[in-house]
Amino acid sequence: MNSIWIARDKGGALFLFTKKPSRFEDIWNNKSEDGLSECTRIPEDWFPELTWESEPIELVIKEKED
């Protein structure tokens, strides 16, 4: 099974991460060894219960059984 992480920065932007991010000033970050953050911005109206004060949400992705 794979998982992704969802977190909202202090300004309200919502991001999907490939690894669990850590709080850094007013953003969430999960920089890889090469210094790049592995994330994708997603619509801000998704996950309205998730705020800057919340911990990131882990979403587990499992393969659909036939």
Side-chain angles (χ1 to χ4, degrees):
M1 274 192 257
N2 294 316
S3 63
I4 56 173
W5 296 84
I6 308 283
R8 188 177 303 278
D9 71 14
K10 196 168 187 176
L14 194 61
F15 292 89
L16 178 128
F17 295 87
T18 56
K19 293 181 265 183
K20 185 176 182 181
S22 301
R23 240 182 260 270
F24 180 75
E25 295 180 10
D26 58 353
I27 62 169
W28 288 93
N29 192 353
N30 72 340
K31 288 188 179 175
S32 61
E33 292 177 13
D34 60 7
L36 299 174
S37 185
E38 300 173 0
C39 66
T40 301
R41 191 167 183 167
I42 59 176
E44 292 179 14
D45 59 341
W46 293 5
F47 302 95
E49 70 283 1
L50 187 60
T51 67
W52 166 247
E53 291 79 19
S54 306
E55 287 299 311
I57 296 173
E58 181 180 19
L59 301 176
V60 176
I61 301 169
K62 60 184 206 177
E63 204 170 308
K64 183 178 176 181
E65 296 178 19
D66 291 330

